[in-house]
Amino acid sequence: MSVKDSLFFKAPCCSDRVPAQGRKASRLAGVEQGAKAFSRKRWLLRAGFSVGAAFFAVGMLADFAYPYNLVIFLAAYLLAGGEVLFRAVKNISGGQVFDENFLMSVATIGAFAVGEYPEGVAVMLFYQVGEAFQEIAVSRSRKSISALMDIRPDFANLKIGSDVRRVTPDEVAVGDCIVVGPGEKVPLDGVVVEGRSALDTSALTGEALPKDVAPGCGALSGSINKNGLLTIEVSREFGESTVSKILDLARNAADRKSATEHFITKFARYYTPAVVFAAFALAFVPPLLAPGAQFADWINRALVFFVASCPCALVISIPLTFFAGIGGASRSGILIKGGNYLEALTNVDTVVFDKTGTLTKGVFTVTRAEALNGWTKDELLCFAAHAESHSTHPIALSIQKAWKGEIDAQKIADYEEIAGQGVRVWINGKTALAGSGGLLDADAVARPDVDALGTVVYLAADGICAGYIVISDEVRADSRQAIRDIESLGARRIVMLTGDSRSAGETTARELGIDAVYSELLPHQKVERLEVLAKSKIGRGKVVFVGDGINDAPVLARSDVGVAMGGVGSDAAIEAADVVLMTDEPSKLISAVRIAKKTRSVVRQNIVFALCVKAVVLALGAMGIATMWAAVFGDVGVSVLAVCNAMRALTFPRGVFLTRRGAQSPKLLASCLTPRAIFHNRDNTRAPTA
């Protein structure tokens, strides 16, 4: 297996469904045998390389005469480079002629043909050393992605009555109960029904702090039970579980190549044949046309040209850099589905946020209750709880939670939900209205005009306003810092799309310093608004949408880069999004952009460095100045340095790439404290209030 093949080698995915236990055992046995065969092959190659290097050292230290020196160096050459020769012949028979194996084979065989035995062996030895360094780098870059495979559960303890039987995870059905002991992995998604414990979710979210769970709490597959004994009712089949989806995303990330990777692949496709023909021309044209030119001299120059021209540094290091960037992101709890999305994050023009569950926690609580016209606060809450008792809307649930008493269903009749406004219902013989101010206005009920931080629910009984309740959704702790950091990273606009009311959207946008907000939007209207924003972007800038759930799936799919918040809990978000943030932290988007920018920087460094060094060595080789040793550095040396540089994308020191210059600027600081113009849908434009 070549280094490039190993870079994108796909391990068996745990989501593959197996109809029979025997078939599964056979497949696992086949995988195990294949791994052992590969290990034996690698050991033989290393042994051959070591013996070849020893022969080379003997040939260099001892001054053997011909033909003994030829025998020693030829043995060293075949032991060290036999695999390269075999791959070259195999690829040529398969129609793939111009690759690095072909270049190395022609160059080293040519060196032997002109009597440069040590140089021929040295080129092959150093090429193999470079391949070994590249393989080590590939293994390191895969470590973060491969570590995800450790979260794959091997078994599940299925509870059947009073018995517990160990089975494979795909044998467990939805509704079954499983037992997870201390130190064991949670094999399937579910809800805790018995026991209390702390779950280590670091493999899923990057969060080191364990999550405490009790009956009623959700448990995600891939988590590790730290202490207590848990009984979990399974809510998803194994193939649809969180761990299966995460492994599938990680497994397929390398298949989606960036524009730079496509360019390098296309470049190498034309570059390699071009340099091959150039080398042949360099070997034969000058001796035929120039008087006194020696074939041996120009053939030697052509061999130097051959060795130095190999595009390994670009072909290996560029995909490796993107793969390392994806691995580094996974360490931070960020799953990026491909190098194309990682590259897109380097050029963000507009960032669009959903509000509820993204910038805010999505947990509504009653923060204020004002009774009017003779009603008391307790009576108002009781009346509101009965009016909202049939609704499952988060606002209705928060009102029901605020009322501590019991709901008397016999008092409720003729329930009617009015879309977008509220409910009309009979309570104890009274016509009750509960909803927005527009609902009361439509029935000509006089009400106060309330300007509050949150959503206002008005209550009316028999045409008289009984009072109002204010319900607020708390802003996430790091939302403000995330908005400021996005600006410092170069985003031109920050926009919020929400289905909430105008007042709620305006208040949140003003508090966070968002450029524009469009409120009272249905899912299809969010898509329409995003398309308008996409048409107004500048150049090749990207529109990034950050959402959190099923209702955001259409707009996640439509955006240039869709980012799912807390995607481990939303199937639709994982399917539609291009980037999945494994925790409910908007600041993770900043980390993703920083990683993308660092990855792009490393890619550019490798491209410029490799092309410049190769251009110099090729020119010197054509003029007869560069030796074969310089050509070895131009190929293997550049490849090793480029690969080592690519590994920098795997490491991500927190905070290094965030520009603090803007935060220290008095002008920008003042602009952060100044209210922004906030625009609304429905063709209404309104200046913000201070």
Side-chain angles (χ1 to χ4, degrees):
M1 181 184 294
S2 68
V3 174
K4 286 187 292 182
D5 293 334
S6 67
L7 176 61
F8 303 113
F9 176 73
K10 294 194 171 49
C13 179
C14 65
S15 61
D16 296 336
R17 303 305 301 269
V18 182
Q21 190 71 22
R23 182 177 172 185
K24 178 183 293 184
S26 176
R27 185 185 66 181
L28 293 176
V31 171
E32 184 178 355
Q33 290 175 2
K36 289 181 179 179
F38 177 70
S39 179
R40 285 195 299 269
K41 177 183 175 183
R42 185 164 56 181
W43 184 88
L44 289 173
L45 291 175
R46 288 176 177 175
F49 175 83
S50 301
V51 176
F55 272 94
F56 175 73
V58 170
M60 292 295 293
L61 294 175
D63 188 15
F64 289 104
Y66 182 83
Y68 300 107
N69 61 344
L70 173 61
V71 173
I72 290 175
F73 284 118
L74 184 61
Y77 175 76
L78 293 176
L79 286 169
E83 182 199 12
V84 176
L85 296 175
F86 175 76
R87 288 203 304 255
V89 173
K90 182 179 179 181
N91 291 344
I92 290 173
S93 63
Q96 183 182 348
V97 179
F98 301 109
D99 63 0
E100 65 270 20
N101 299 298
F102 174 78
L103 293 177
M104 288 296 105
S105 299
V106 172
T108 51
I109 291 172
F112 270 83
V114 297
E116 302 289 348
Y117 309 143
E119 284 83 352
V121 178
V123 168
M124 194 61 75
L125 283 172
F126 282 112
Y127 175 72
Q128 292 286 56
V129 170
E131 287 281 290
F133 272 105
Q134 292 163 3
E135 185 175 353
I136 292 171
V138 167
S139 298
R140 285 192 58 198
S141 71
R142 287 185 58 85
K143 188 176 295 183
S144 291
I145 297 294
S146 298
L148 288 173
M149 299 301 170
D150 291 337
I151 68 177
R152 178 178 53 197
D154 300 318
F155 62 88
N157 298 316
L158 179 62
K159 186 175 183 180
I160 305 174
S162 59
D163 296 331
V164 176
R165 184 164 59 93
R166 178 168 292 193
V167 298
T168 57
D170 56 355
E171 293 181 49
V172 182
V174 174
D176 288 346
C177 287
I178 56 175
V179 177
V180 182
E184 293 180 349
K185 296 171 187 172
V186 178
L188 299 105
D189 294 350
V191 178
V192 177
V193 293
E194 289 182 21
R196 296 177 180 271
S197 182
L199 296 182
D200 179 1
T201 62
S202 58
L204 304 176
T205 65
E207 175 60 51
L209 187 66
K211 174 186 176 183
D212 293 327
V213 294
C217 296
L220 296 177
S221 57
S223 304
I224 298 177
N225 184 16
K226 300 291 289 183
N227 39 46
L229 184 68
L230 296 177
T231 301
I232 299 173
E233 182 179 339
V234 175
S235 59
R236 292 180 186 170
E237 293 182 351
F238 183 62
E240 298 299 322
S241 65
T242 297
V243 67
S244 294
K245 291 180 179 295
I246 292 174
L247 291 176
D248 186 59
L249 288 179
R251 201 168 61 108
N252 296 322
D255 294 338
R256 300 179 176 92
K257 294 185 178 182
S258 67
T260 304
E261 290 176 278
H262 283 297
F263 167 76
I264 292 299
T265 302
K266 197 171 184 179
F267 170 80
R269 189 181 304 155
Y270 294 100
Y271 165 83
T272 307
V275 296
V276 168
F277 290 119
F280 276 108
L282 186 65
F284 298 107
V285 172
L288 294 175
L289 299 180
Q294 299 294 322
F295 270 101
D297 178 46
W298 286 97
I299 288 176
N300 188 65
R301 296 188 188 189
L303 294 176
V304 172
F305 197 90
F306 256 121
V307 175
S309 64
C310 185
C312 296
L314 296 177
V315 174
I316 294 292
S317 69
I318 303 308
L320 178 60
T321 304
F322 281 102
F323 197 75
I326 293 172
S330 71
R331 284 181 171 180
S332 299
I334 303 167
L335 290 181
I336 301 176
K337 291 187 178 181
N340 53 338
Y341 304 120
L342 186 66
E343 189 172 47
L345 286 173
T346 64
N347 187 20
V348 176
D349 176 87
T350 303
V351 180
V352 183
F353 285 98
D354 173 49
K355 172 182 170 288
T356 305
T358 302
L359 294 174
T360 62
K361 293 183 177 180
V363 179
F364 294 90
T365 57
V366 174
T367 57
R368 182 179 170 191
E370 291 290 338
L372 304 172
N373 298 320
W375 288 69
T376 65
K377 181 178 178 180
D378 286 343
E379 290 173 342
L380 184 68
L381 286 174
C382 178
F383 188 69
H386 280 77
E388 299 281 8
S389 60
H390 291 296
S391 176
T392 58
H393 191 280
I395 290 177
L397 295 177
S398 67
I399 293 175
Q400 296 170 30
K401 185 178 179 181
W403 169 242
K404 306 300 183 181
E406 297 290 334
I407 302 295
D408 188 352
Q410 296 181 353
K411 296 181 179 180
I412 305 170
D414 297 336
Y415 178 86
E416 178 188 2
E417 187 165 346
I418 303 172
Q421 292 188 324
V423 298
R424 177 183 283 109
V425 63
W426 282 79
I427 301 176
N428 254 2
K430 296 181 179 180
T431 303
L433 297 176
S436 65
L439 178 64
L440 272 65
D441 294 342
D443 277 27
V445 178
R447 63 174 178 85
D449 190 9
V450 180
D451 185 13
L453 180 61
T455 300
V456 180
V457 177
Y458 291 94
L459 283 304
D462 287 341
I464 299 174
C465 183
Y468 60 88
I469 295 173
V470 179
I471 297 156
S472 300
D473 182 11
E474 185 179 352
V475 174
R476 293 191 184 277
D478 67 343
S479 291
R480 297 177 184 83
Q481 187 63 44
I483 297 299
R484 289 194 293 268
D485 289 349
I486 288 173
E487 291 178 332
S488 69
L489 288 174
R492 188 172 61 90
R493 294 179 300 181
I494 302 176
V495 181
M496 185 171 72
L497 304 182
T498 178
D500 282 358
S501 65
R502 173 184 299 181
S503 60
E506 177 183 328
T507 301
T508 303
R510 187 190 307 116
E511 183 180 356
L512 296 177
I514 293 175
D515 297 320
V517 57
Y518 301 92
S519 54
E520 301 176 4
L521 296 176
L522 297 175
H524 72 276
Q525 292 173 320
K526 287 186 178 182
V527 175
E528 294 170 358
R529 180 54 60 184
L530 188 80
E531 290 176 346
V532 173
L533 294 172
K535 290 178 181 177
S536 62
K537 67 183 181 182
I538 296 177
R540 296 184 178 181
K542 305 299 181 182
V543 176
V544 177
F545 179 81
V546 187
D548 70 302
I550 294 174
N551 63 326
D552 292 324
V555 69
L556 281 168
R558 171 60 184 84
S559 59
D560 294 326
V561 182
V563 181
M565 285 278 297
V568 291
S570 172
D571 293 335
I574 284 184
E575 295 297 331
D578 309 310
V579 179
V580 179
L581 309 182
M582 303 303 289
T583 58
D584 294 324
E585 298 173 285
S587 58
K588 289 285 189 181
L589 176 63
I590 313 303
S591 300
V593 174
R594 294 182 207 166
I595 292 170
K597 287 182 178 290
K598 180 182 179 182
T599 302
R600 180 184 62 179
S601 174
V602 172
V603 166
R604 288 179 174 176
Q605 291 168 12
N606 282 344
I607 291 175
V608 172
F609 173 70
L611 292 180
C612 288
V613 172
K614 284 188 178 294
V616 171
V617 176
L618 288 174
L620 295 177
M623 292 186 291
I625 300 175
T627 64
M628 187 69 75
W629 299 103
V632 169
F633 171 76
D635 173 39
V636 178
V638 170
S639 296
V640 171
L641 291 176
V643 166
C644 292
N645 190 43
M647 296 311 300
R648 291 174 50 235
L650 187 62
T651 58
F652 173 49
R654 187 176 297 273
V656 169
F657 307 102
L658 178 61
T659 302
R660 297 296 180 189
R661 177 179 55 194
Q664 297 168 357
S665 167
K667 182 177 179 181
L668 181 58
L669 183 60
S671 68
C672 291
L673 300 176
T674 303
R676 301 174 180 272
I678 301 176
F679 303 96
H680 299 274
N681 62 322
R682 319 264 184 177
D683 296 327
N684 290 331
T685 304
R686 175 179 171 184
T689 57

